[in-house]
Amino acid sequence: MWQKTFAFIVIPLVLVSVFFGIYSAGSDHFAALFTDYELDINLWQVFCLFVLGFFIAFNYWNYAVEKLIYKNNHFLDNEFQKDSRIPKATYSFLDLSAERMSGVISFVLLNILLIFFIITYNYEQFYETVKTPVQLSEETHERVNAVIISIIMAILVIMFYFKSGFNFDPKAGLLKILAKIWIFLNAILVMSAAVKNYEYIVNYAFTYKRLGVFAFLLLSMIGLALTFIKIQKKKRNIFLVNTMVWYFYGTILVCSSFNWGGFITSQNMKRKDFAVNYHLTSVNFSEKALLKYADEKNDQKLKKTLQTKVKKETSKTFLSKIIYYQTIQ
């Protein structure tokens, strides 16, 4: 009885509670189901402590790192070994059938919860009254953060259930279908956030953060697609880590090779509400494009400011004082 209670009630309730908290952070109507609920965590302090702890631990155990990596390198394989493809329970106190039923109940409840959240999320985004730009900006970023955290948690939950020989359980067909439905619903959530961000850009122009939102949502969608492949192809959990690292690295390479400041300037110049001062102070703008804009608008003040800036930039030398000037004969 204790085993069934833990598998059928405790685990599903814990998962539902966690996702209830995430969804409440991204939807006011959804959060209205609770009163006086707040998750007070300083993520910056947690990150700094994590980096500091990792730095100290790595330097303290540095002499043993190399041997440890070689010894455990086989754990980074994407494919299961033949001897690990036998379905077996993860924990000694929970048999395979109970663990399987726990996953079915959890995914049924999470699918229902996510459907309700998608409805409230889209209602708030597309059907509520128009708000001020500041309010819309804050709410958009809060909701996108909630979506990204939700996707990460969804992938972790799937990794929790689809591990080791459990992937080869012949009776886990229903669990796999429910997991794939959950992945599909999370993809709908990502697309809803992307549409809202695009609408936000159409109404209030391009910025670095709004373009960054698209990058994070794209990575979230890639993560969901890889999770689907992991279930379909029966890959190990480390497959997600190995593959996502390369996609994240590739995204950074692609983004670093593109002049986003020039793109933002050229696109926003087409708007009637083009904010010149914002682009002069907060964007790595294109001087050539702004000079053309100043000529078209006959803005002598802007033209003079740009010419002064260009003159200062062209007068700078690339030669090193220490290497060149002080050693020349």
Side-chain angles (χ1 to χ4, degrees), residues 61 173 193 210 255 278:
W61 297 105
R210 293 164 199 171
C255 291
Y278 168 77

Side-chain angles (χ1 to χ4, degrees), residues 107-165:
F107 279 113
V108 167
L109 295 177
L110 290 173
N111 278 325
I112 295 173
L113 185 68
L114 183 53
I115 290 173
F116 183 66
F117 175 71
I118 290 174
I119 294 172
T120 57
Y121 184 86
N122 284 280
Y123 173 78
E124 286 183 348
Q125 289 199 124
F126 301 108
Y127 294 103
E128 280 197 335
T129 55
V130 179
K131 301 178 181 179
T132 64
V134 176
Q135 291 176 327
L136 185 59
S137 175
E138 292 177 353
E139 291 185 0
T140 300
H141 289 294
E142 288 176 0
R143 291 169 183 169
V144 169
N145 290 337
V147 170
I148 293 174
I149 295 174
S150 169
I151 300 303
I152 295 173
M153 290 298 298
I155 294 174
L156 291 176
V157 169
I158 291 175
M159 291 173 66
F160 172 76
Y161 279 106
F162 291 91
K163 58 188 179 298
S164 65

Side-chain angles (χ1 to χ4, degrees), residues 80 84 86-91 99 157-168 230 235-237:
F80 285 99
S84 62
I86 302 174
K88 58 182 179 179
T90 306
Y91 308 103
E99 186 175 352
V157 169
I158 291 175
M159 291 173 66
F160 172 76
Y161 279 106
F162 291 91
K163 58 188 179 298
S164 65
F166 199 77
N167 291 270
F168 303 93
K230 176 248 185 307
K235 302 284 188 179
R236 297 180 63 196
N237 285 340

